Amino acid sequence: EIVMTQSPATLSVSPGERATLSCRASQSVSSNLAWYQQKPGQAPRLLIYGASTRATGIPARFSGSGSGTEFTLTISSLQSEDFAVYYCQQYNNWPQVFGQGTKVEIK
Amino acid sequence: EVQLVESGGGLVQPGGSLRLSCAASGFTFSSYWMHWVRQAPGKGLVWVSRINSDGSSTSYADSVKGRFTISRDNAKNTLYLQMNSLRAEDTAVYYCARDSVWGGVSNWGQGTLVTVSS
């Protein structure tokens, strides 16, 4: 089973600043990686698929990059609604494992 | 608008069984793979199971293999998860989710809480 490791566990950022979240796979997943956002009490929302393609309706301030084993989610200028937990997920192999999440909190 | 509505959660004793349902609407259900994903209280997301569009192929996480069964009724636009031999560690919110044709999971239900406790 592929292991997905996200860092950091918690990221403290001021509104308007840039946030950079990392996700590492224990073996190559090619570009078969997705990012999700989850707010308290809500279901997750798909942000990015194919490592770098924004899902429908996702603002341009969200961008994804990477391939193979190293991936990054960047939020260029944090808005109040972006403070949430972010998960990566690989879908290259079964099971489609999620990372443990990165909580983006207000600094 | 895509809608996924789960039902069937509740309190069950260890060793017991429960069947979750997910009613789908707003899209052609029979064309999409579907998933169950769970989230224990205060914890992260864990993929549980998936089924292909016609129900002929399924996959499971090792933690539920042999105990859980995913199925679907395309005539009723409904996804199911039969959960047997439940354990305390199965306690979680269970989400029904639609596969994205491009990768990942594009749509999620609101979740149904399953609590396994004596």
Side-chain angles (χ1 to χ4, degrees), chain B residues 11-117:
Chain B
L11 176 64
V12 60
Q13 291 188 340
S17 298
L18 213 54
R19 187 175 85 154
L20 306 183
S21 300
C22 171
S25 61
F27 65 101
T28 305
F29 180 71
S30 60
S31 296
Y32 288 85
W33 289 29
M34 297 293 294
H35 303 262
W36 287 100
V37 176
R38 70 185 182 185
Q39 186 170 36
K43 303 297 184 181
L45 301 171
V46 176
W47 176 84
V48 173
S49 183
R50 67 89 185 165
I51 188 167
N52 70 344
S53 56
D54 67 4
S56 62
S57 175
T58 59
S59 295
Y60 298 92
D62 285 346
S63 58
V64 307
K65 201 173 294 183
R67 300 188 299 122
F68 289 13
T69 302
I70 189 172
S71 62
R72 64 192 298 161
D73 185 334
N74 285 344
K76 295 183 178 179
N77 290 343
T78 302
L79 177 72
Y80 302 101
L81 186 67
Q82 177 67 44
M83 303 186 295
N84 298 331
S85 302
L86 283 161
R87 307 166 180 167
E89 55 265 35
D90 296 319
T91 293
V93 172
Y94 284 74
Y95 292 102
C96 161
R98 190 188 83 169
D99 196 72
S100 164
V101 295
W102 303 283
V105 173
S106 59
N107 300 86
W108 301 70
Q110 84 289 350
T112 187
L113 177 62
V114 172
T115 303
V116 184
S117 175

Side-chain angles (χ1 to χ4, degrees), chain A residues 11 14-15 17 28 31 63 66 76-77 90 94 101 103-106:
Chain A
L11 187 61
S14 299
E17 289 188 340
S28 177
S31 295
S63 63
S76 59
S77 177
Q90 69 82 18
W94 299 105
K103 181 180 181 181
V104 177
E105 63 176 25
I106 299 175

Side-chain angles (χ1 to χ4, degrees), chain A:
Chain A
E1 176 176 316
I2 295 175
V3 177
M4 306 300 293
T5 303
Q6 291 186 240
S7 61
T10 303
L11 187 61
S12 298
V13 185
S14 299
E17 289 188 340
R18 181 187 196 92
T20 302
L21 289 66
S22 296
C23 175
R24 174 177 293 178
S26 60
Q27 66 188 72
S28 177
V29 298
S30 187
S31 295
N32 296 316
L33 184 108
W35 289 95
Y36 303 86
Q37 176 193 67
Q38 187 179 33
K39 298 178 181 179
Q42 296 185 17
R45 176 174 71 146
L46 178 66
L47 298 176
I48 300 283
Y49 61 88
S52 61
T53 302
R54 281 189 301 278
T56 302
I58 302 303
R61 64 181 181 273
F62 292 92
S63 63
S65 63
S67 66
T69 62
E70 300 283 342
F71 301 88
T72 301
L73 174 69
T74 301
I75 312 171
S76 59
S77 177
L78 271 159
Q79 306 299 303
S80 57
E81 62 267 30
D82 300 335
F83 292 96
V85 179
Y86 292 83
Y87 296 93
C88 62
Q89 181 204 24
Q90 69 82 18
Y91 51 90
N92 195 61
N93 299 85
W94 299 105
Q96 295 186 338
V97 178
F98 291 88
Q100 81 280 16
T102 291
K103 181 180 181 181
V104 177
E105 63 176 25
I106 299 175
K107 186 174 181 179

